[in-house]
Amino acid sequence: MLHLPRIMLAAPSSGSGKTMITCGLLQALKNRGLEPASFKCGPDYIDPMFHSKVIGAKSRNLDTFFTEDKVTRYLFARTASGAGISVLEGVMGIYDGLGGTSVKASSYDLASVTDTPVILVVNARGMSLSVIPMIRGYLDYQKRFGNMVIRGVILNQMTKMTYLLLKDEIEKQTGVRLLGYVPKLEDCMIESRHLGLVMPDEVADLQRKLQKLSGELEQCLDLEGILALAQEAEDYREEEAEWEFPEKLSSHPRIAVAMDEAFCFYYQDNLELMKELGAELVFFSPLHDKGLPEHTDGLLLGGGYPELYAKTLSENMGMKEQIRTAIENGIPYLAECGGFMYLHESMEDMEGNKYPMCGCIAGEAYRTPKLSRFGYVHLSANHTAVQQEEPENGQLLADGEMIRAHEFHYFDSTDPGRDYHAKKPNGRRQWDCIHGTHVSAAGYPHLYYWSNPEFVLRFLRKAEEYSGHREQ
């Protein structure tokens, strides 16, 4: 059996202080030499970057919409087995799941699937005894679903005096352990922008803030109680941390991955899956490099903030030309959201200024006043009768297959594509999207490869074929 100490920090709502407290707790655990691993519930890219800055290792996403329970438990266990303790950060409110009407894909759902004890972070600003019925309500509600995952509470934005005054009464009336409080810490707050928090590298003096935050948490949280709760988590079977891949590549195609300030939204497990299937990943910067890495066999252009760097991206003529030429020559490529925008003829920045881009997608990427097509989707390919008979005219996603994805963007395109079909998992809304061929897929959805490993294996096989043709 695998003993994997772990806890989740969840909350009644967004804005309760989960990310700040998670980062501070991770730093405190690291300072104690515990080598923590961290995970983010849901599809968010930025919170894991803050975790990674703290622990010095890549944080992972876990999402019970993207993956079935067995895969979710495997993805957790394979990383957690190498750590002294694992900290999972919840998403939104603890019970907020698909479409706002289900607990599926919620923090509660992930805690249930992974058997993780939950510490509820309650923003108690301006409250005293009124916090008791709030806590009791969250404890009672989980009875509807059968798993009593909430095992502790942290009171955020509460003074030491109020906490000490109320602690015994709260525990008496709720039956749950109070594991500390966090006073208002304005100089430890993290700024945000249109897609969420700012990037870790943009936070002035981040390391100092993290050390100060961890020092505060050492004083006001019951870290010994938190560690004891983590030890109470149920053990895993050893085989749950193992995965048998049915097929791997015979060679190692070089996949060039755009990675810089403009392109940095990647699921770490997506990249790891590519490597486990046999790919060699090489990183490059569309902002700073003059051209693609040598012997590139495939391209991966992820999301990020290209709109913040539109002028610099536009002026890097050598990089744009090499990418356009490679795509014209048939290199396999995947482009998501910001990477898709970069391939357009033009793209607007945040002020509405228009800049020429790679010119691979006819049309313009432009800013909209609100989120466009936000949320989870199931994707299938729109195969024509001709494509079904002629695979070389088809799509990377085979006929009858599905891959799961997520959209979150304030920009849109005059031509978002129509080679794939997106459908909401628990609603009627659906639409066409993505420019796709038998070697490429480019559009706004962020794909999660573990929901269909055959899709990425098919892409890597195309890169393998391209490598062979390039070397002839």
Side-chain angles (χ1 to χ4, degrees), residues 307 310-311 347-355 364-365 411:
E307 62 271 22
K311 185 174 186 293
M347 180 178 67
E348 287 185 353
D349 65 8
M350 292 297 292
E351 287 72 44
N353 302 308
K354 190 182 301 185
Y355 293 94
E364 173 187 342
F411 280 68

Side-chain angles (χ1 to χ4, degrees), residues 135-344:
I135 295 171
R136 289 185 62 172
Y138 281 89
L139 292 170
D140 289 344
Y141 193 69
Q142 62 188 339
K143 297 175 184 176
R144 295 186 51 170
F145 312 108
N147 289 318
M148 309 300 286
V149 297
I150 302 175
R151 308 272 291 282
V153 170
I154 291 172
L155 299 175
N156 191 23
Q157 299 207 48
M158 177 173 276
T159 66
K160 180 178 181 180
M161 182 177 67
T162 304
Y163 179 76
L164 293 177
L165 186 66
L166 296 176
K167 181 177 185 297
D168 290 344
E169 189 65 21
I170 292 173
E171 290 185 331
K172 176 183 175 182
Q173 293 200 39
T174 65
V176 73
R177 283 177 277 187
L178 257 60
L179 294 169
Y181 68 98
V182 181
K184 190 172 184 179
L185 300 170
E186 292 213 13
D187 59 345
C188 294
M189 300 297 288
I190 302 171
E191 299 174 0
S192 62
R193 62 158 66 100
H194 61 291
L195 292 185
L197 299 175
V198 298
M199 305 300 287
D201 291 338
E202 299 176 80
V203 178
D205 210 5
L206 178 60
Q207 290 302 322
R208 182 194 65 79
K209 287 184 176 181
L210 289 171
Q211 289 294 351
K212 179 177 180 180
L213 176 58
S214 67
E216 293 279 0
L217 298 189
E218 283 276 6
Q219 298 299 315
C220 61
L221 294 186
D222 178 7
L223 288 183
E224 299 305 325
I226 292 172
L227 291 172
L229 179 59
Q231 292 290 340
E232 296 174 12
E234 293 188 15
D235 291 344
Y236 272 52
R237 300 187 308 276
E238 291 187 11
E239 58 267 27
E240 290 187 275
E242 301 171 355
W243 196 268
E244 187 67 34
F245 292 94
E247 184 178 356
K248 294 186 179 182
L249 301 173
S250 57
S251 64
H252 301 285
R254 285 168 59 87
I255 307 300
V257 182
M259 184 72 76
D260 57 22
E261 304 95 306
F263 305 99
C264 50
F265 290 178
Y266 296 95
Y267 295 121
Q268 185 61 26
D269 282 313
N270 276 358
L271 301 181
E272 291 294 333
L273 178 58
M274 280 189 161
K275 290 194 288 186
E276 290 179 67
L277 291 173
E280 176 190 357
L281 303 187
V282 290
F283 298 95
F284 75 103
S285 169
L287 272 174
H288 307 298
D289 295 340
K290 299 303 180 185
L292 292 170
E294 291 185 355
H295 311 303
T296 293
D297 304 317
L299 283 174
L300 180 56
L301 303 171
Y305 288 116
E307 62 271 22
L308 301 181
Y309 305 93
K311 185 174 186 293
T312 305
L313 287 169
S314 182
E315 291 174 349
N316 192 348
M317 302 298 293
M319 178 62 75
K320 292 194 304 180
E321 178 63 29
Q322 284 203 22
I323 289 177
R324 182 168 58 252
T325 299
I327 288 177
E328 289 173 351
N329 289 339
I331 193 170
Y333 67 95
L334 300 174
E336 299 178 351
C337 204
F340 171 58
M341 290 162 58
Y342 178 55
L343 294 181
H344 279 65

Side-chain angles (χ1 to χ4, degrees), residues 338-399:
F340 171 58
M341 290 162 58
Y342 178 55
L343 294 181
H344 279 65
E345 290 176 325
S346 67
M347 180 178 67
E348 287 185 353
D349 65 8
M350 292 297 292
E351 287 72 44
N353 302 308
K354 190 182 301 185
Y355 293 94
M357 291 293 148
C358 293
C360 305
I361 302 289
E364 173 187 342
Y366 60 94
R367 191 180 182 193
T368 64
K370 60 181 181 179
L371 282 171
S372 302
R373 300 183 296 279
F374 165 67
Y376 291 116
V377 290
H378 293 116
L379 290 172
S380 58
N382 289 324
H383 287 269
T384 66
V386 172
Q387 289 173 341
Q388 291 171 6
E389 295 176 3
E390 302 175 13
E392 286 305 299
N393 292 319
Q395 302 293 339
L396 283 171
L397 192 63
D399 187 30

